[in-house]
Structures are given as structure tokens and as C-alpha cells.
Amino acid sequence: MDKLLDVKDLKVSFNTFSGEVQAVRGVSFDVNKGETLAIVGESGSGKSVTTKALMQLLPKPQGFIKDGQILLEGEDIVQKSEKEMQKLRGQDISMIFQDPMTSLNPTMKVGTQIMEPLIKHQKMSRAKAKERAIELLELVGIPDASTRITQYPHQFSGGMRQRVVIAIALACDPKLLIADEPTTALDVTIQAQILELMKDIQRKTESSIIFITHDLGVVANVADRVAVMYAGKIVEIGTADEIFYNPKHPYTWGLLGSMPTLDNDGYDLIAIPGSPPDMTDPPKGDAFAPRNEYALKIDEELEPPLFKVSDTHYAATWLLHEDAPKIEPPESVKRRMQGIANTGTAPGVAKDGEK
Amino acid sequence: MIWEESIWTIKLAYTLFSIIGEFFVNNELSVNFRKESTLYQEVLQMGRFILKRVVYMVITLFIIASITFFLMKILPGSPLSAENKLSEEQQEIVLEKYGLNDPVPIQYVNYLAGLVQGDLGLSFHFDSTPVTDILANRVGPSAILGAESLIVGVILGVLLGLIAAIFHNGVLDFTSTIIAVLGTSIPSFVFAGLLQYVFAVQLGWFPVALWKGGLEYHVLPVIALMIFPMAISARFTRTEMLEVLGSDYITTARAKGVTQAGIVFKHGLRNALIPLITVIGPMAVSLITGTLVIEQIFAIPGIGEQFVNSVMVNDYPTIMGTTLFYSVLFVVIILIIDLLYGIIDPRIRLSGGEK
Ligand SMILES: Nc1ncnc2c1ncn2[C@@H]1O[C@H](COP(=O)(O)OP(=O)(O)OP(=O)(O)O)[C@@H](O)[C@H]1O
Ligand SMILES: [Mg+2]
């Protein structure tokens, strides 16, 4: 498979009054062509910051890429100037945001907003761009597209606005589409429709997608591979099957344990106890140790490296070290894994414990 | 002391303005305004909207006219007190001539009847010239002075605010903030005096006073008067622009690859300027109070100077006429601003006040 994106040891920090917030502390992953990678993790784990760094949309001047490489088709985009990035954004990489109610310009016609990247990147004439905008709206399932493009965002419902945002993101056939919790702000039925739409579009355009979500149900539904983030690091990464049926990291167990399933299996949802560490002063050892009931002595001293489980599956926990005691995931998590195996897909309505 | 009083006048005028504005904005018609979207319907709706607003304006003006009339009757002092040299008989003749011997209700009805015909009565001075003639003779310089100051002030203020927002926290931001603070805290007559002394008396670049047609007579009074609207617009534009630049739809635009100039001018400016329209009303009002002082200082034969003189000599018809004239100006300004608001902000156009 061809690698589209290769992120190597990415570190992102923010300068704040209380010191340097190390939001992302050395993240490495890759995305293949046509693949969907899901990034999951609790609030504040650094998911959005990672993807904002990919587009160099970090809030300036406080946010900056401290170290690392972001190779897009082999070219390091960390080194690119703002001008070069402007050519890249919307053309090679584009982004869908969480809240459709605020992510469209309220005083600009929807059509103009879709036409903007077409005119800029593909040098289309206005007439041509307008035609294409109508096509795009039809593609994302908005009826009566030729009148709709003359309307303003407030004339659209939330779900429709998210379709518009998707149409904008798709306008120039980007190689990589980043979706930062695109369904969180929508109600359940609309969520399902938007997910369906995104899967459908991926089948048609064969673009790669990075999909950020809190919701493991959504992950099971859309992802080829899953990266689990905690405190600015990837703690486990693998194919969707590996993460759901053979999770290795206690944090992943915690996420799975706190995920509701449709068939009430008699086990209570177990929220992960405690809260993430202060990122201005991250702990010396494993950042998850204080919340981990399986924590070992070494977790307090030394950060675990990524242990290889299979060619595609890695997890950063000392439990995988050959000298560590063999520990099985708790019963409730096993039952839940079973539940996913039985139903085929996990429910699309789940929210993790902290919400 | 004078400054404190004029601050109070501004505050009073502002409160009055807000109450009137509130009343107009929240009436049910403006909510339904432009629900239909065909052009014909829009024009029709617009016509009805204006018509209804004009009716409200007439009612408001009627109330203001009545209040000023009765205030004039209640307040101590007499138009004749300044001319005590008149004999009893002469006073009697004068009172008879102006209808001041009639019972108050009759005077009131006569006054209103005159108003309906566009007759504001006769001045007690200037050989009994009709008040409308006095106003007509005087309105030119005031209107020019006010309009020039408002336009120049707002344009310069917006530019200043934009520069401050773009170079947020830089030297230019700091400078423009200082200008804005000085502009709002130093009364315009202080500037007027200063300008007059430095540029007219000392340097001799501009005439010290008077209004004889040439543009050189405009420069100093306009600068003195525009400082306040400029400072207010600068502060407003800066705050709004910074807020807009931090909003989600700006991130969307950046994610599309829009350039910095496009972000500021295409996406930012319009959204940042919409709220400015709401303060143009109060600014125009404050300019009117400003002209009262500035016209005195520069000996400009405008309405403001006339108004002050009339108050000094208890020239009731002229005071009432001028008050009414100012009131008409206020309500017309409010109407224009509401219409402007609707044109610039598509959300208002469709749904009235609600967001
Ligand atoms: N502008 C900023 N200034 C300072 N710190 C920031 C800024 N933006 C993000 N952070 C910090 O970076 C960390 C990661 O934030 P991020 O938004 O990536 O979390 P997330 O995983 O996307 O969470 P959520 O699921 O809530 O969206 C947080 O600890 C946050 O405090
Ligand atoms: Mg986020």
C-alpha cells in the first residue's frame, strides 16, 4: 500500500502564562491512500491539536510545532512557508469541523463559500465554479441545489450545514480529509446519515480520511485503523479489528469499558477513574499510571516504549514486556468485545464516559 | 463642568435612543420582515415595513412635541424677561401677537395644528422670523459639518481598528489604542481649542473661525468633531475584528487556503462591521450635541449655535422647533440604520432580531 501521510515524532506545544503546554508529545503514525484512520481518546488528549498541526492551523503565535516531521507524499510540510501552506490547504488536505452552526461564514452565500477554493486552487471561472458547486451540493445530498447555493447558512439546518461543510472540504478532491468530530454536534439520526455520506464519498473519491471522535461506536463503523491517544501520545495503534478484539493497553480497555452497547449486557458502564495529567508538567513515567489499576512499579519511573504486537498493532504499556505479569482485560470489556463481534457493528450512538 | 453636562446629555440621548430603538426593533413586523424571498414580496414587505415605521415615528414625534411644549410652559422664566424695558402695554401687545394670552390647551392645539402644516411658529426674536426659516437658513453648515465628521471619523476609525486587530499586540495596536483612548476621554471642545490655537493662531495654516465657504474653514472643526466617532469606531472595529478572527468560520476559511488578505477583507470585515452600525446611531446623536459646542467655538452659523443662543434668551418657539428637528433627525437615523442593518446582515433580513 502507498503511504500518503507519514507523521514522525510530532511535538506540539503552546506558550501560555502558566508555562509551556505540551499538547502533543511525540506522535508517529501514517495514513495509507484510501484508508480511514480514526483517532480516539478523552477530551484534551491532543487529537485536535495533532490535526491542526497537520494543516498548520495552530493558533498563532502561542501554538507551534516543536519538533518532528509531517511527510505528505514524501515532502515535509513542517518546513513549508505560510504561502506554500495556503496552496496546500483546501487543495491537498482539507478539514471538516465539529460545529456546523459556527463553521460557516454567516454573511456569505453558501454557494460563494463552496466556490472559493475552486476559484483559488483550480483557477475555475465563476460560472464553472458555480456549476461545480451545484454538483457538489447534489453529491452531499442537498436537494434543490441550484436555489440552495444562493442562500445563507442560517437558512440551513445543522445536518444540512454539515453537508455544506463537507461539500466545501471535498471541492478540490483533496488527498486527505480530516474530520474533527464531524458528528458530535448533531443528533443521532443525522449522525448516522453524515457517517453514511462520508463512507459513500470515500468509496467514490478514494481519498484518505483522518477521523477524530470520542465515540468508539462511530470508529467501529468507519475506521480501517485506530490510534488511541492519551496525554499527547499514541498509546495504542492497530487495525480496527485488533483494537476492538485484541486491545492491549489498559487505557483502551477503559475506553471500551465505558462504551455503551445496544444489547444491555448486564454490566455497568465503567468510567475511567481520575483525570488526565497537567500538560504543563507531564509525569516522568507512564502518564496513565495514576489512573491505571494494572500499573507496575516501573510505570512510575520510565515511560513504556511502543511494543509490537503484530506488524500493524503496537501498544505502549509495560504489560507487554516479557517480564511483566500476564494480565487479561477485565470481564466487562471482554463481554463488550463479544457484543461488538455479535452485532457486527457497534452502535453509532455511543458517547464515552466523560461526556 | 461643561464637559460633564455634555456627557450627561449624550447619556440621556443615548438612553432615549435605545428605548426608541428597542421599541422599533422588537415590533412584530420587523420579525416577520422578509419571510418571503421573492423580489416582489421583498419590495412589498419593505414598503410595509417602512410605512409602519413611519407611523410609529409620527407617534413618537407627537409625544416629544407635547412634552417639550408643556415643559416650556412649566419652566420658570419668560421670553420677555430679557427685555424688561418694554412697558406694560407693549408687553400686552407682544403676548397677544404670539397668542400667549390664550388658555394653555388652546395654545397647545394651535401649536399642534401648526406642526401638522409644517409651521413651527414665529421666533420671539429676529423680527419674528418663522422658526422653519431660521432652521432652513442654519441647517446647511451643521449638516455638512456633522456628515463630514461622521464619514471621516468612521472611515479613519475603522482603518485604525483594522490595523490594530491585524497587528494585534504589536506597536501599531498599542498606538491606535492610545489614540482611541485619548479620543474618547478628551472632550471635543478641548481638541477644538487646541487645534484653533496651534494650527490657526500659531501656525496660521487655517482660519481661526467662521464659515465662509472654502474648505479651509472645514478642516479644524471637522477634525475636532470627528475625534469621538473615530475613537469609538476604532475601538469597536478592533474588538469585533479580533473576535471574528478567532471564530470557527475563519478557521474554515483558512482551511480552504484563503490568503491573509482574503481572511481580513472578504471574510472578516463584513462580519466585524455589522455591529458597528448599531453604534453609528448614538455617534450621530453625540455629534449633534458636539456641534452645539463646536459651532460656538468656531463661530459657525449652524443650528447648534442658534440653539444655544435661543436657550439664553428663552426663545420658546425656536427651542421647541429645534428640539423637534433634532428628534426627527434621531428617528430618521434609527430607521436608516435598521434598514442598513437588514441589508448588510442576511440573518436580520430573514428572521428579524433573533439569532
Ligand atoms: N490555544 C491553546 N492554548 C493553550 N493550550 C491549548 C490550546 N489549544 C489546545 N491546548 C491544549 O492542548 C491539549 C490538547 O487539546 P486538544 O484540543 O487537541 O484536545 P482534543 O483531544 O481534541 O479534545 P476534545 O476531544 O475535547 O476535542 C489540551 O490540554 C489543551 O489544553
Ligand atoms: Mg478536539
Side-chain angles (χ1 to χ4, degrees), chain A residues 55-57 86 89-90 97 102-108 113 116-117 120-121 152 154-155 168, chain B residues 248-249 251-252 254-260 266-267 270-271 274 344-347 349-351:
Chain A
M55 291 194 90
Q56 299 199 22
L57 284 179
Q86 281 168 7
R89 294 186 200 124
F97 298 92
T102 56
S103 52
L104 291 170
N105 186 339
T107 60
M108 194 185 265
Q113 298 190 49
E116 212 174 7
K120 178 176 163 62
H121 296 300
Y152 289 92
H154 69 268
Q155 291 162 286
I168 293 174
Chain B
D248 285 354
Y249 58 84
T251 315
T252 308
R254 289 181 62 204
K256 287 195 276 191
V258 177
T259 58
Q260 185 61 28
K266 260 176 84 183
H267 288 269
R270 185 170 177 150
N271 289 297
I274 287 171
I344 295 185
D345 191 342
R347 286 165 298 190
R349 230 186 282 163
L350 200 87
S351 54

Side-chain angles (χ1 to χ4, degrees), chain A residues 14 16 21 23 42-49 59 62 181 214 279:
Chain A
F14 293 93
T16 66
V21 178
E42 281 170 304
S43 195
S45 54
K47 306 181 298 288
S48 300
V49 171
Q62 66 273 33
E181 306 196 34
H214 280 118
M279 301 305 287

Side-chain angles (χ1 to χ4, degrees), chain B residues 138-152:
Chain B
R138 293 267 182 162
V139 74
S142 295
I144 291 171
L145 190 61
E148 282 174 352
S149 310
L150 190 64
I151 293 169
V152 176

